[in-house]
Every structure is written in C-alpha cells, then in structure tokens.
Amino acid sequence: MLNAMIVEDNAIYRYAIKSIIRWEDYGFHIVNEALNGVHALDILQHQHVDLILTDISMPEMNGIDLIQKVKQQDDSIKIVALSSFDDFRYVKEALKLGAEDYLLKHDLEPESLQQLLAQMKTKIEDELHLKRQAAIRNENLQEMWYLLGRKLIFGELKTVDEMEDQARAIRFPIPTGPIAIMLFEGECNANSTRALLSELGEVPIHIPISDHRSVIMRHFPNETSELTCRDELLRHAAVLMENTGEASTLTIGISSIGYELPDWRMLYRQAEKALEQSIYDGVGQVYSYWAKPSEIQGVEVSMKAYASAIQSGQFEAVDKQTELFFDLLLTRRLSLEELKVVIHEATILTKAAAIGRGKFSASAESTYRQINRAIEAFPTIQQLKQLFQTWQKELSYEAMGNTPFRKEIQAAITYIEEHYAEDITVSKLSESLHLSSNYVSNLFKSETGLRFVEYLNRYRIRRAKLLLQDPSWKVYEVAEKTGFQEASYFCKVFKELEGKTVKEFRCES
C-alpha cells in the first residue's frame, strides 16, 4: 500500500477528495492531511509519503512553493495540483516545477480521480522497481570492485593490459598521479571513518580484506612531491587515530609512493611490512614503510635506535642518536635518492612521536616544513643535521617537563615561569642569575634553540591559552595578565605561534 497526503486549507474539499472514492481499492492509504504548505513540510519530516495532492492557493505557503521545496528534498515524491478556475494560470508553473498532473476541484469526478491514482500507482511502482534494480547493480558492482582491488594488491593479474581491461569492464576508478596504500588492522568505529573521509575530501578506493583488515588507496592527482604525499598520509592517519580513542587497537601501515596499477602489489606488501613493526612496538599506532637493510645497508639499526629514542621523549637520548644517525649517513655514502628516503623517514618518526604526545605546535609544524623543503633541495648532511637538532630542541621545549638543559638555563626557565607576567628583560634575568647578559643570551639560544624573547613569548602564549578558555576574561585583560603591554602585540604573537587568531581559538575551545 502506498502513502498519500492531501494538502488543502478548505475542510469541505479535503473531505470530498478523500471520500469520493475508496482510496485503498487503488493502492493508496491517506496517512495525513495538511492545512497548508508549512504544515505539509512539517509532516514530511517524520512521515514517508509517496503521493501528494495539493491545492494551489493556500495561506502561509501556497502549492507552488510547496511543490518546489518537496522536489528539492525528495524528487521521487509524486505531486498532483488541485486547481480552481480562477487560479488555473498557476497550473503550468506547477507542472514546470515537477507536478505530475492536475485536477480541477469544481469538476472532480470519481472516474477522473480513479484514473489519476492508477497512473500514479504505476509510475511510483515502476520507479521503485528501477531503484531496486539499480541498488542491486550497484551492490554487485561494488563487490566486483572489491574483487578486482584484491586481485591487484595480491598480484593475481600479471599484465598491465589485463589489469586495465578488467578495470574498464566494470568502470573501476583508475587513479592518476602518485598513489599510496593505507592498511588498517583492527576495529575502526563509524566516527573515525567519517572523520577520515571528511579529511580526505573525496571518495577513496576502499578494499576490504577481512573483518579486521582493509585498504584505502589514496591518490594525489595534482601533486608532484613524494614528500608532500607522505606528509599528507601521515596527517590523515593522525586524524583517524585521534578519533579512535586511547584504548583503540587500530593500527595503520603506510606504504611508499607508486604510480601505476602494477605498483599496487608492491605497495600492499610495503604496508604489510610497516604493520609488522607492531610486533615490537605495539598496536594502536601508525607505522610507515621504509627501505630495509638489503636496500640501504646498515642504516636500519641506527634508524631503530633513533625511533626508540624519539618514543622515549628524552632529549638527551634523541640528541645522541641524532649524532650517531647522521654520522652513519656520512660514512655510508648513500645515493641522493636513498638519503631522501631515509631522512624523510626520520622526520616522519619525529613528527608522529610528537603528535602522539600531543606536543606538536604550529611552530614545530613550520620547522617540519622547512626540513622537508631542505630535503627536496638537499644542501648538505651537516645542514640537515643542524635543522634536526634545532627542531628536536623545540619539541623538547614543547614537552614542558623533560627539559634536559644546563642548570643555568633551568634556573632561567624557572625565573620566566615565576615572573612571566612582569616586564622581564635579559638584563633583569642576568642579574637574578649573577651572570652577564651576553653570556645568558648566547647560552639560552645554544641550549633551547630559541632566543630569550622567543622562549618568553611562547611561554606567555601557553599561559594565555589557559585564560582564554574562560570567556569572562577580555582579550586585553589576558594580555596584561601574561605580560604583554599591548593587546595588539599579544594578538600578533598569538597568530604567529598558534597559526590562528585569538577569536578563532576561542571559537574552537
């Protein structure tokens, strides 16, 4: 039985329309009556309707506006206009907007309504049948896509022609440009999936492997830098992991970059190898594939030691392993391509560890991009080493609790934390430490990687963020409380360090 609704402000006409024939005999059940267009739209929010008979002239919202809004919301609903002689001029407009037909209320006869219902029933049932057929086709097509995707990543198709022929036969989307595999193992809840799809901004190629394992093929049609592609993959994985919760066992393996259909098998194997790291380092993390010892002799051990130090969050250990890592690269004399792969993997490990600890600011992101630009240009190993060490000191500062600085600098940091709301200068700080201004300034830069003013501003902004979460504090009051003499300068520094305005930060808090 199909559902019908009558929309008519005149009670006499409503009664005549619903009682002139027995609607059930023609396959329809009148589920509701509405007094005008507004009333009808409200009913449609919670009631499914297949057919609407609507008057043209009604208060609040007439039939013309109702037809337009209904068709915008659900084009499958059939609509018939009920017209009087004096508003017959509007019938043409109603038909143009999507009405199926019209009836003259003053000449309404059982035969004309019966004939109309028979036509509408046939149309509705034919369309429902076509929709069911389309759904079946789409479901079967989706299964064929899954099957072909699995054939590609498992290497069951041997030639490019065979791959492309099968893809064209089922309209399988063949990505253009760089491609990579994100291999998911474990449970991924609906919120996490929605967050990832929103982050991707596209409909990715999804290939289920088993109940707890699936693949997303990510392609970059307009990107030429493989480093940028890898960075995007890491960012997508971070978004997904943030939405899974701390107790999640979801683990992600990321491949390197490929370009053609024959690369899919290699990329899947790489993603699997990346996942194998969870045997040693645990589930619930993101792992990225990088070249093994057979390809880059001797670097793997150093990389593992570096990764272990990064995971510990201890600056002294990271600094030591960085020295050893770059010394090894100097002695191994790898090719430029191999060096780019290895050093970029080190940046990914560093960034992933910082993100995992929730200590990755806009400033750290800026340094990360600077390092990636340097990798693309590749100046010298020593220059890259210096960039890494500066970045790690910055991340160590972000950790706020494991500061491995000399005792003079630790005393200076304590002074800043106690007097940040005052007018602090290097001279005042030096006096409190009984040291010269030049010595303190140079030592501060050497130890933290930041000038005194930069460090002070970063600490002040951290304190300001806590106050800004309370809407009762005005911006100029927060500026004064955290040592900024002018609110405009406070806002400028905030934007530079956080990558967003004070207003944007408050809206997100």
Side-chain angles (χ1 to χ4, degrees):
M1 193 70 69
L2 301 173
N3 292 342
M5 177 167 65
I6 299 171
V7 186
E8 167 64 69
D9 60 318
N10 189 305
I12 296 175
Y13 280 128
R14 283 204 310 276
Y15 178 77
I17 293 167
K18 71 179 181 180
S19 62
I20 192 173
I21 63 170
R22 180 179 164 81
W23 284 61
E24 286 76 6
D25 292 343
Y26 300 92
F28 287 92
H29 173 59
I30 299 176
V31 293
N32 238 312
E33 301 175 33
L35 303 180
N36 52 51
V38 173
H39 188 195
L41 290 176
D42 183 57
I43 291 171
L44 288 174
Q45 296 299 313
H46 51 81
Q47 175 69 66
H48 170 71
V49 171
D50 300 293
L51 173 66
I52 296 175
L53 270 69
T54 180
D55 188 16
I56 295 290
S57 298
M58 295 179 293
E60 294 193 58
M61 181 186 291
N62 62 32
I64 297 298
D65 291 339
L66 174 63
I67 292 169
Q68 188 172 22
K69 290 185 179 297
V70 169
K71 286 296 180 179
Q72 288 173 352
Q73 294 178 12
D74 187 349
D75 190 50
S76 69
I77 297 176
K78 304 303 176 189
I79 304 177
V80 174
L82 298 170
S83 171
S84 301
F85 289 117
D86 56 353
D87 59 17
F88 186 70
R89 63 187 181 279
Y90 294 114
V91 168
K92 185 176 181 181
E93 186 175 357
L95 295 174
K96 187 187 298 184
L97 290 172
E100 301 292 328
D101 208 336
Y102 69 94
L103 289 173
L104 291 173
K105 292 191 291 186
H106 297 293
D107 288 342
L108 189 61
E109 297 291 339
E111 292 78 11
S112 59
L113 184 55
Q114 291 166 1
Q115 184 179 0
L116 176 74
L117 293 183
Q119 293 173 351
M120 293 301 103
K121 183 173 182 292
T122 300
K123 275 191 175 184
I124 293 169
E125 290 179 342
D126 286 348
E127 288 186 9
L128 288 174
H129 177 71
L130 290 175
K131 282 185 178 180
R132 284 193 291 269
Q133 292 296 312
I136 293 171
R137 284 196 301 271
N138 289 337
E139 185 178 346
N140 290 335
L141 183 63
Q142 188 69 68
E143 287 298 325
M144 288 190 285
W145 282 14
Y146 291 159
L147 179 61
L148 178 57
R150 287 190 284 267
K151 285 182 178 180
L152 289 168
I153 63 178
F154 293 146
E156 295 177 14
L157 303 177
K158 303 305 179 185
T159 68
V160 175
D161 287 344
E162 188 179 12
M163 295 175 188
E164 292 181 347
D165 286 345
Q166 291 204 22
R168 282 192 291 267
I170 61 173
R171 299 179 182 178
F172 185 85
I174 302 177
T176 58
I179 54 175
I181 277 183
M182 299 176 72
L183 178 57
F184 302 91
E185 190 161 77
E187 296 293 339
C188 186
N189 61 48
N191 289 337
S192 302
T193 303
R194 280 194 294 270
L196 177 62
L197 294 179
S198 174
E199 176 71 16
L200 292 176
E202 61 180 50
V203 179
I205 300 175
H206 173 238
I207 306 169
I209 308 300
S210 66
D211 289 342
H212 299 289
R213 177 175 280 204
S214 63
V215 160
I216 282 183
M217 295 296 305
R218 178 74 171 94
H219 72 286
F220 305 86
N222 303 312
E223 187 53 66
T224 57
S225 168
E226 291 190 4
L227 294 180
T228 301
C229 296
R230 296 294 296 278
D231 190 24
E232 280 292 289
L233 290 166
L234 178 66
R235 187 166 62 83
H236 298 325
V239 168
L240 183 60
M241 297 303 282
E242 285 173 7
N243 286 275
T244 57
E246 294 183 1
S248 172
T249 59
L250 179 67
T251 308
I252 302 176
I254 298 176
S255 73
S256 67
I257 304 298
Y259 292 88
E260 306 291 342
L261 289 178
D263 294 338
W264 286 32
R265 182 185 184 188
M266 171 197 72
L267 296 177
Y268 182 71
R269 285 180 171 178
Q270 290 178 354
E272 279 193 312
K273 288 181 180 296
L275 275 184
E276 288 173 4
Q277 297 174 55
S278 64
I279 297 172
Y280 305 99
D281 301 320
V283 298
Q285 298 187 56
V286 179
Y287 296 101
S288 182
Y289 172 83
W290 63 282
K292 291 300 179 185
S294 59
E295 299 163 286
I296 302 177
Q297 292 293 329
V299 177
E300 184 189 34
V301 174
S302 180
M303 179 66 82
K304 282 186 175 179
Y306 175 80
S308 177
I310 288 290
Q311 290 294 332
S312 74
Q314 296 295 323
F315 175 78
E316 290 178 346
V318 175
D319 193 46
K320 178 182 177 181
Q321 290 302 328
T322 301
E323 287 280 351
L324 294 173
F325 175 63
F326 278 94
D327 287 348
L328 180 62
L329 292 182
L330 283 168
T331 60
R332 288 294 174 183
R333 301 288 179 179
L334 303 177
S335 69
L336 179 60
E337 182 181 353
E338 290 170 334
L339 278 172
K340 285 185 175 183
V341 169
V342 171
I343 294 178
H344 184 60
E345 290 300 334
T347 67
I348 288 178
L349 285 170
T350 305
K351 181 175 179 179
I355 290 174
R357 295 195 302 271
K359 306 295 182 183
F360 202 75
S361 67
S363 177
E365 174 67 29
S366 176
T367 307
Y368 173 70
R369 291 177 181 174
Q370 183 184 355
I371 292 173
N372 275 339
R373 287 194 296 270
I375 294 172
E376 289 285 3
F378 220 97
T380 67
I381 291 288
Q382 289 294 346
Q383 287 172 309
L384 282 171
K385 177 182 175 182
Q386 290 171 5
L387 275 174
F388 259 79
Q389 289 174 325
T390 299
W391 190 33
Q392 286 154 0
K393 285 180 180 178
E394 186 176 9
L395 292 173
S396 176
Y397 162 78
E398 298 286 346
M400 292 298 292
N402 295 319
T403 316
F405 301 131
R406 289 173 53 165
K407 62 180 182 180
E408 297 97 325
I409 298 305
Q410 291 185 33
I413 290 173
T414 300
Y415 182 87
I416 289 172
E417 292 174 354
E418 292 174 351
H419 301 276
Y420 69 91
E422 303 169 13
D423 182 19
I424 304 179
T425 64
V426 175
S427 297
K428 289 181 180 179
L429 173 61
S430 302
E431 288 177 11
S432 72
L433 298 176
H434 306 292
L435 298 169
S436 72
S437 296
N438 284 339
Y439 178 77
V440 170
S441 181
N442 292 333
L443 184 61
F444 205 97
K445 172 70 167 150
S446 173
E447 284 289 294
T448 67
L450 301 169
R451 292 184 296 111
F452 167 75
V453 173
E454 292 174 332
Y455 192 103
L456 175 61
N457 281 343
R458 288 169 186 268
Y459 186 80
R460 282 172 166 170
I461 292 300
R462 176 174 276 108
R463 303 299 302 181
K465 286 165 66 177
L466 296 175
L467 296 177
L468 288 170
Q469 293 176 13
D470 183 349
S472 66
W473 285 98
K474 293 181 169 42
V475 174
Y476 75 86
E477 292 175 328
V478 172
E480 291 175 358
K481 285 283 184 183
T482 52
F484 290 95
Q485 302 301 311
E486 297 180 1
S488 59
Y489 180 62
F490 163 67
C491 292
K492 178 176 179 292
V493 173
F494 192 97
K495 176 70 181 297
E496 288 175 354
L497 295 182
E498 295 299 318
K500 65 187 72 172
T501 65
V502 172
K503 184 178 180 180
E504 289 170 341
F505 173 79
R506 279 194 145 166
C507 289
E508 293 174 3
S509 299

